[in-house]
Amino acid sequence: ISTKQKNYNYISRAYSYLSWADYHYNNVSNAIKNGYNAYYYADSLNCKDDLAYSCYVIGIAYSLSYDIDNTVDYYLKSINLYQQLNDTFWVSNVYKCLAEANLDHNLFEEAEKKVKEAYILDSLMNDSVSISEDLTSIAEIYLMQYYNLSQNPKETIKNAKK
C-alpha cells in the first residue's frame, strides 16, 4: 500500500468520524458534507469497507434531516457494499437503521420488513442480544401502528387504502 493510499484511507475514516460528531451535535449540513468527503476518499481507493461505512454515515446524516429518500438510498448502498464484503453484522445493523428511518415517517410495513431482515441475519449469527432487540423492535412497531390508528383512525384507514 502506497503512502497516498494509507493517507486517503485515514482521511476517509477521519471524515466519517467528523460526520458522526456532527450528527451527535445535530449539525446536519456538516454531517452530510463530511460523509460525502469520506465517500470521496474511500471511492478514490475503491475501498469497499470504507465506502460502505461512509454510505452508512451519509444515511445517518440524512436521517437527521428527515430526508427519507436520501436516507434510504444511502442505507441501501451501504447494505449492498457490506453484502459484497460478507459482513453480516453490518448488514443487520444498517437494516435496523433503515427500519428506524421508516418508523420516523410512519412507514410501518417497511420498518417491519427491515427489522425482520435483521432478525434473520442475527439468528444466523446466533446473536441472542440482537435477536432480543429485534423482537422488541417488532413489538414497538406494532404498538406504534396501534397508537397511530387510535390517535388518527380516519387518516390511517385512508392511507391503508392507497
Side-chain angles (χ1 to χ4, degrees), residues 12-95:
S12 174
R13 290 182 186 182
Y15 274 120
S16 288
Y17 298 144
L18 282 172
S19 182
W20 260 109
D22 290 325
Y23 167 81
H24 287 290
Y25 285 105
N26 234 5
N27 189 337
V28 177
S29 61
N30 276 354
I32 293 169
K33 181 182 79 173
N34 285 323
Y36 279 118
N37 286 335
Y39 184 91
Y40 168 80
Y41 285 101
D43 191 41
S44 296
L45 294 173
N46 196 24
C47 179
K48 285 186 182 178
D49 189 38
D50 286 345
L51 276 171
Y53 190 74
S54 64
C55 287
Y56 166 70
V57 168
I58 293 168
I60 288 172
Y62 274 120
S63 73
L64 254 184
S65 69
Y66 294 96
D67 180 343
I68 189 67
D69 294 331
N70 279 315
T71 300
V72 169
D73 186 42
Y74 279 95
Y75 279 153
L76 291 176
K77 287 177 183 180
S78 180
I79 288 168
N80 182 41
L81 288 162
Y82 279 126
Q83 286 172 332
Q84 291 175 36
L85 295 166
N86 294 317
D87 193 332
T88 307
F89 171 81
W90 271 102
V91 172
S92 173
N93 187 44
V94 181
Y95 269 129

Side-chain angles (χ1 to χ4, degrees), residues 2 28 34 37 40 43 63 66 71 92 101 115-116 121 124 128 133 136 143 154 156:
S2 72
V28 177
N34 285 323
N37 286 335
Y40 168 80
D43 191 41
S63 73
Y66 294 96
T71 300
S92 173
V115 173
K116 286 181 177 179
L121 296 172
L124 291 172
S128 59
E133 291 171 354
T136 301
L143 287 171
K154 288 181 183 175
T156 303

